[in-house]
Amino acid sequence: MDLDKAVRLIESEWKFLLSERKNWSLTAGDQDMELVAHALRVILHMGKVSEFSEEYDATVAKQLPDGGWGRESSEKESAAWVSAFMALMLIRANVTLQSPRLEASVWKAIRYFLKSQHADGHWVDSEWSDLDTTSHPVSFFNVVLALGTEEMKQAVREPWKKGLQFILDGQSSDGGWYDKKFHPSGVETTAHLGQDSLAASFLLPEGLDVKAACERCSAWLVQNQAAEGSWDSRNMDHSMDSTRSLLLLSRMLGQEEKFRSVIEKGMEWIAANKNENGWPDFPGMETDLERTCDGLDVLLKYEAWREKDAKEIARRWGYTAGETKFLREGVGV
């Protein structure tokens, strides 16, 4: 994909997302918290945290007493998957905001996940498989180990290892992760686990040996891409997840050229099947705001993948510290 094209899409879809703010912002009323988390991630990657600090404050205000968040902002029962997503957004935003209130919220979330982890290392969420559920707290702990205080790192280090080992042990011999009940094709789960759980170990000093698992995961994703560039029967969400996973894994493995054609084909399919404004769940369907956030996210991560700094894309997951660059302010690649 031409980088200028990616930048133009980012700019136009960001304007569209802002025009729909009342439908995803907690400052406008009750919302689906998974959508909120997706929007907060876009704000992070657009470099707009300071301008939208009230969105992160509103997220803290919805945190439940046990340290988690509900699936809806009005719910009073925490759910592990979305709770990890929200906590991730807060610890990353606080690199910019340096807010004691946000730091206290991150600590509450850490305690929630320490308490809810099972003895074998996994977490449970009724709407997700144990593997996919576990990938989110592991991803949160990845970022705690990269960006948190020393006290936070000490608190999560051993539980993080147990969670990551649970995921490594669950990988099938063909390189994928499967669950018969939740997305049995394995595409979404495999894409999530590669990027959210494994890849950070390339950057963390205490990381486990994940290279072989990442290579098997990458090969599986390549084998399961359709000729047109999509994954999982033209599922936009899963195609975006798979492309994002390959963006990060290819860079961490130092195999960008090996996977370039697959990534470019995926990016072109995603761009070609968007609506006039935003993206649908499947081509031809109406625009979905969560999928629109995913579309922006994959474009922003593709933008970082094109940057010569090898760690820039890892910063889009929060797996390494450092100032994030925003190429659309002056394209130079």
Side-chain angles (χ1 to χ4, degrees), residues 103-114:
E103 182 173 333
S105 177
V106 171
W107 263 117
K108 285 180 65 178
I110 289 171
R111 288 191 285 270
Y112 166 77
F113 286 108
L114 295 180

Side-chain angles (χ1 to χ4, degrees), residues 43-116:
I43 292 169
L44 272 164
H45 296 163
M46 290 293 297
K48 304 291 186 182
V49 170
S50 295
E51 296 174 42
F52 290 84
S53 61
E54 68 273 16
E55 299 292 349
Y56 299 91
D57 288 332
T59 299
V60 173
K62 292 296 182 179
Q63 190 172 24
L64 298 173
D66 66 359
W69 285 265
R71 295 187 182 92
E72 301 289 333
S73 58
S74 58
E75 286 187 7
K76 302 302 180 185
E77 183 177 350
S78 294
W81 195 94
V82 74
S83 294
F85 207 155
M86 303 309 291
L88 265 170
M89 297 306 102
L90 293 182
I91 190 171
R92 294 185 60 193
N94 208 37
V95 172
T96 298
L97 298 176
Q98 295 292 295
S99 164
R101 185 167 180 245
L102 264 65
E103 182 173 333
S105 177
V106 171
W107 263 117
K108 285 180 65 178
I110 289 171
R111 288 191 285 270
Y112 166 77
F113 286 108
L114 295 180
K115 186 176 181 179
S116 58

Side-chain angles (χ1 to χ4, degrees), residues 108-325:
K108 285 180 65 178
I110 289 171
R111 288 191 285 270
Y112 166 77
F113 286 108
L114 295 180
K115 186 176 181 179
S116 58
Q117 187 178 32
H118 288 237
D120 64 356
H122 82 279
W123 284 266
V124 172
D125 187 310
S126 61
E127 292 197 359
W128 294 85
S129 72
D130 289 352
L131 282 166
D132 216 333
T133 299
T134 300
S135 76
H136 267 52
V138 168
S139 183
F140 172 46
F141 285 176
N142 283 337
V143 178
V144 171
L145 290 167
L147 305 178
T149 66
E150 288 304 315
E151 292 79 9
M152 289 178 178
K153 293 177 183 180
Q154 183 176 352
V156 307
R157 188 168 283 114
E158 292 306 314
W160 163 77
K161 287 181 180 178
K162 288 178 65 177
L164 181 54
Q165 191 61 57
F166 176 84
I167 287 168
L168 288 168
D169 291 344
Q171 189 176 30
S172 298
S173 58
D174 66 0
W177 284 267
Y178 303 91
D179 186 279
K180 293 181 180 179
K181 181 179 178 182
F182 298 88
H183 303 300
S185 73
V187 172
E188 184 180 45
T189 305
T190 301
H192 279 171
L193 271 57
Q195 61 183 312
D196 292 336
S197 302
L198 272 63
S201 283
F202 284 95
L203 299 159
L204 299 174
E206 54 267 273
L208 300 183
D209 183 4
V210 300
K211 183 178 180 181
C214 286
E215 288 177 335
R216 292 195 300 271
C217 171
S218 300
W220 190 95
L221 289 171
V222 170
Q223 291 165 7
N224 282 274
Q225 185 185 40
E228 65 180 5
S230 70
W231 277 266
D232 215 3
S233 302
R234 311 191 87 204
N235 185 307
M236 187 66 71
D237 183 17
H238 300 178
S239 297
M240 290 172 172
D241 275 327
S242 298
T243 304
R244 280 182 290 201
S245 194
L246 285 172
L247 286 168
L248 183 60
L249 291 171
S250 68
R251 180 52 63 90
M252 294 298 98
L253 289 166
Q255 298 177 357
E256 295 92 335
E257 292 306 315
K258 178 179 179 180
F259 296 105
R260 185 175 298 276
S261 63
V262 176
I263 289 169
E264 295 291 357
K265 189 186 295 185
M267 291 300 302
E268 290 293 351
W269 184 84
I270 290 165
N273 288 280
K274 69 178 295 297
N275 293 337
E276 181 179 358
N277 292 303
W279 278 267
D281 285 328
F282 289 87
M285 295 178 67
E286 65 182 17
T287 291
D288 179 85
L289 284 180
E290 185 178 312
R291 211 56 54 234
T292 299
C293 290
D294 280 330
L296 274 162
D297 187 61
V298 72
L299 284 165
L300 287 157
K301 285 170 175 170
Y302 174 77
E303 176 190 57
W305 186 72
R306 293 285 298 270
E307 168 63 38
K308 293 179 182 178
D309 179 354
K311 289 188 177 180
E312 181 56 27
I313 191 166
R315 295 187 186 107
R316 303 296 167 107
W317 272 266
Y319 294 159
T320 188
E323 183 179 354
T324 299
K325 303 167 187 174

